[in-house]
Amino acid sequence: MGRLAIRPNRSRLTWLRENKNTHPISVTNAVSRVLAAHPGPFHRVDLSCSIMEAHLPELDRWLQLLAAKAVEELVFVNRPWPINLRLPATLFSCTYLRRLYIGVWRFPNTAGLPQGSTAFPHLLELGLCCVLMEDRDLESIISRSPVLEILTVVLSQNVVRLRFVSHSLRCVQLGFSCVADLAAVDAPCLDRLLLSDIWATEGRKFSTRIKIGLAQGLRSLGYLEPGRHLLQIGTTTIKARTRATPSTMVPSVRILALKVYFGTLNEAQMLCSFLQCFPNVETLHLKSDKADELNNATGEHKAMFWKGAGEIECIKSHVKKMVFDEFQGKQSELAFIKFVMERAQVLQKIDIISTYASCTTLEKNKLVLKALDSVKPASKNCQVVYSTHALLEEGGSWSFQRASDLSRSDPFEF
């Protein structure tokens, strides 16, 4: 049998299905009884253990009860199958929701909502995992949630094309999804725009377009990938050798994260162009990408490129800390680190982090880094720290929960 844990004093309901052999009807019947009997209000309800395809009437009734009993936080996951079952529009009647996390559903159709109406007047945080939804539905929910602060979209079932206008959003996260277009059209309160392993259709044949429009408060941005992402600031698309002008800069950004393959000349040039767009960056996170067949690279570009690279304002005058993650011990990586050390006048610390698969890799990296001993840093207070961690799966160190925690000053520091 399953176990139903109820804490009436805390107004919290959690269904824990401990026995995998428990029949789904037993689960749905038990949840129906408890939701009907509980006086409410519910502070938080977690429903994540039932396959709902055969229980659509119960599903609609649950949402009616949750709405009537003023549920504030709802976690609702349809697992494990089917992945495209549509949630009833009754969800929009849960007007007391402050936090909503849904997984493995098709999002309710917003076309039937009254023109100009508010869907979730109190919603602060929305998390969507493995959800199938139309672009218009996502944009509609953002516009109809007047106090929404945090939006997270992970493992989207369909290609994401998101253009958002919001005067409340502070953090937008997209991860492990195919993203064609992402545009912060008008988001004056946006503090964090965080991307983790997003890609365009058909690999690098097409690029994900990331547009920053009106986002005066944007402080943290990344991971941008110069080799995969097409950055647009205002009406200007940033290309290699794009000249920095006031119209192509985002001066509010203080923390910038980039994922770069240092082995090609084109990405090195794009890296320079991207950095020129953010003149006041104080903390720079770099993740070294690995080569693949899509890079069309036969070898590393010559380190001479960085010796001839011009001045970059944020490197010269503002960067205090640089984190170089997944260091592979390549000369092209080392050349960039030297470039920063020789020009960064207020640099205080460089963290070089190597992911190692063997002791041989670790010793090789240490030998390569000895070349930094001969570098004369522009900042007398510059400290170089080298550390290692075990090789993780792609995206293994990223935490969406930590990154969206607005009390943490640096969302990329884990």
Side-chain angles (χ1 to χ4, degrees), residues 28-95:
T28 53
N29 288 344
V31 173
S32 295
R33 288 195 302 270
V34 172
L35 288 176
H38 197 285
F42 287 120
H43 169 62
R44 179 183 173 105
V45 175
D46 295 348
L47 298 168
S48 57
C49 295
S50 292
I51 302 171
M52 296 305 303
E53 184 179 26
H55 305 282
L56 295 182
E58 291 92 336
L59 171 59
D60 192 63
R61 179 59 178 159
W62 289 359
L63 291 173
Q64 291 177 20
L65 290 169
L66 290 170
K69 298 180 181 184
V71 62
E72 294 182 357
E73 297 186 19
L74 175 61
V75 179
F76 203 177
V77 180
N78 171 48
R79 65 179 187 182
W81 202 260
I83 62 174
N84 61 347
L85 188 64
R86 188 182 291 278
L87 265 172
T90 317
L91 178 67
F92 300 131
S93 63
C94 298
T95 55

Side-chain angles (χ1 to χ4, degrees), residues 68-372:
K69 298 180 181 184
V71 62
E72 294 182 357
E73 297 186 19
L74 175 61
V75 179
F76 203 177
V77 180
N78 171 48
R79 65 179 187 182
W81 202 260
I83 62 174
N84 61 347
L85 188 64
R86 188 182 291 278
L87 265 172
T90 317
L91 178 67
F92 300 131
S93 63
C94 298
T95 55
Y96 287 91
L97 277 172
R98 294 170 59 84
R99 290 175 176 83
L100 173 63
Y101 312 96
I102 60 176
V104 200
W105 291 103
R106 179 187 288 269
F107 200 80
N109 191 341
T110 61
L113 293 176
Q115 187 71 25
S117 66
T118 298
F120 298 117
H122 306 291
L123 190 66
L124 296 173
E125 185 169 352
L126 175 61
L128 306 172
C129 180
C130 199
V131 170
L132 179 64
M133 66 189 308
E134 300 294 332
D135 301 331
R136 65 174 185 272
D137 291 330
L138 183 53
E139 293 174 12
S140 176
I141 288 302
I142 293 173
S143 65
R144 295 170 187 268
S145 303
V147 298
L148 183 65
E149 294 185 351
I150 299 172
L151 171 67
T152 301
V153 179
V154 184
L155 294 169
S156 176
Q157 291 190 40
N158 54 308
V159 178
V160 177
R161 295 177 179 85
L162 175 60
R163 293 169 53 86
F164 60 91
V165 175
S166 171
H167 286 203
S168 63
L169 270 175
R170 299 178 62 192
C171 176
V172 173
Q173 294 189 99
L174 281 86
F176 309 106
S177 301
C178 180
V179 181
D181 294 284
L182 173 62
V185 178
D186 186 4
C189 294
L190 187 65
D191 179 83
R192 300 179 178 187
L193 182 56
L194 311 177
L195 314 171
S196 178
D197 292 279
I198 66 170
W199 59 89
T201 55
E202 299 184 35
R204 299 192 185 190
K205 184 177 180 180
F206 300 101
S207 297
T208 297
R209 181 178 293 274
I210 299 169
K211 179 179 178 180
I212 302 174
L214 298 177
Q216 307 91 301
L218 185 61
R219 185 175 179 275
S220 301
L221 174 63
Y223 277 90
L224 296 180
E225 300 185 35
R228 296 187 182 187
H229 298 162
L230 199 61
L231 177 62
Q232 181 178 337
I233 298 176
T235 59
T236 303
T237 299
I238 307 304
K239 301 178 180 179
R241 299 190 180 91
T242 295
R243 292 190 61 185
T245 65
S247 64
T248 63
M249 294 182 182
V250 186
S252 61
V253 173
R254 296 294 188 274
I255 303 172
L256 178 66
L258 302 169
K259 185 175 182 180
V260 184
Y261 176 62
F262 286 88
T264 62
L265 181 59
N266 180 65
E267 288 206 30
Q269 292 172 335
M270 288 301 302
L271 172 59
C272 287
S273 296
F274 274 39
L275 289 172
Q276 295 282 13
C277 297
F278 307 99
N280 296 321
V281 168
E282 296 176 356
T283 301
L284 178 62
H285 289 267
L286 287 166
K287 185 177 291 186
S288 185
D289 200 2
K290 294 178 175 64
D292 56 40
E293 65 277 7
L294 296 174
N295 283 115
N296 294 321
T298 56
E300 297 183 356
H301 72 278
K302 294 181 179 180
M304 290 296 294
F305 169 80
W306 291 109
K307 292 185 178 181
E311 286 190 353
I312 299 174
E313 176 60 24
C314 67
I315 297 293
K316 176 185 175 182
S317 304
H318 296 279
V319 170
K320 298 177 182 178
K321 179 180 179 181
M322 184 174 78
V323 180
F324 196 107
D325 200 4
E326 300 192 12
F327 178 76
Q328 299 167 47
K330 297 182 178 180
Q331 290 299 319
S332 55
E333 298 170 326
L334 201 61
F336 178 77
I337 295 173
K338 289 180 178 180
F339 169 81
V340 173
M341 291 179 65
E342 292 171 346
R343 289 163 177 79
Q345 298 178 1
V346 297
L347 185 63
Q348 298 173 3
K349 185 179 181 182
I350 299 180
D351 280 325
I352 301 174
I353 305 167
S354 171
T355 53
Y356 63 91
S358 66
C359 293
T360 303
T361 305
L362 178 60
E363 292 305 316
K364 175 186 174 183
N365 287 351
K366 285 183 177 179
L367 289 172
V368 171
L369 286 168
K370 283 186 177 181
L372 295 179

